Amino acid sequence: EVQLVESGGGLVQAGGSLRLSCAASGFTFDDYAIGWFRQAPGKEREGVSCISSSDGSTYYADSRKGRFTISSDNAKTTVYLQMNSLKPEDTAVYYCAALFGSVVAVPNSYDMDYWGKGTLVTVSS
């Protein structure tokens, strides 16, 4: 059974940091790209970042470059999203998702094969 389990969300003040984790199981981790997406209330789901597990290539949505860092521990089949200098507009449910193959940019959400259930990040002003 494929599982993607996010953790690490919570309440943080503006300017603070959080590290999200996505624990993957049930598929061959190295064959997939793992992405982070987020959905704020009343808004569409948007891509945040993505990493190709095969070679570690990383991609970011332009507005997240410099503040967010994606990484993976292939031995633990876990992907992380380090988020720094958080802003209230970063408040959203954050999801990780898996896409078979490699990527050259953050994929569209509808291209992803598997999804986690999400973890809520709330940034207070």
Side-chain angles (χ1 to χ4, degrees):
E1 178 188 6
V2 171
Q3 283 194 316
L4 294 166
V5 180
E6 302 94 337
S7 61
L11 174 64
V12 63
Q13 288 189 329
S17 299
L18 281 175
R19 189 177 82 153
L20 305 183
S21 299
C22 172
S25 62
F27 59 92
T28 304
F29 188 77
D30 288 355
D31 289 343
Y32 283 75
I34 307 296
W36 284 97
F37 297 79
R38 69 184 188 184
Q39 188 165 20
K43 296 189 176 181
E44 293 187 354
R45 192 169 296 187
E46 61 178 357
V48 175
S49 184
C50 192
I51 185 167
S52 288
S53 301
S54 59
D55 64 3
S57 298
T58 58
Y59 307 92
Y60 297 90
D62 286 344
S63 60
R64 260 69 73 184
K65 283 182 181 177
R67 296 194 298 124
F68 292 4
T69 303
I70 192 170
S71 62
S72 70
D73 184 334
N74 286 26
K76 295 182 178 179
T77 63
T78 299
V79 172
Y80 305 96
L81 184 69
Q82 177 68 42
M83 305 186 295
N84 299 327
S85 302
L86 283 162
K87 305 174 182 180
E89 51 263 42
D90 294 317
T91 294
V93 177
Y94 284 71
Y95 301 88
C96 68
L99 171 64
F100 181 77
S102 59
V103 297
V104 294
V106 179
N108 291 309
S109 58
Y110 49 77
D111 287 330
M112 307 307 286
D113 296 315
Y114 305 114
W115 287 89
K117 294 182 179 180
T119 185
L120 176 63
V121 171
T122 303
V123 184
S124 63
S125 56

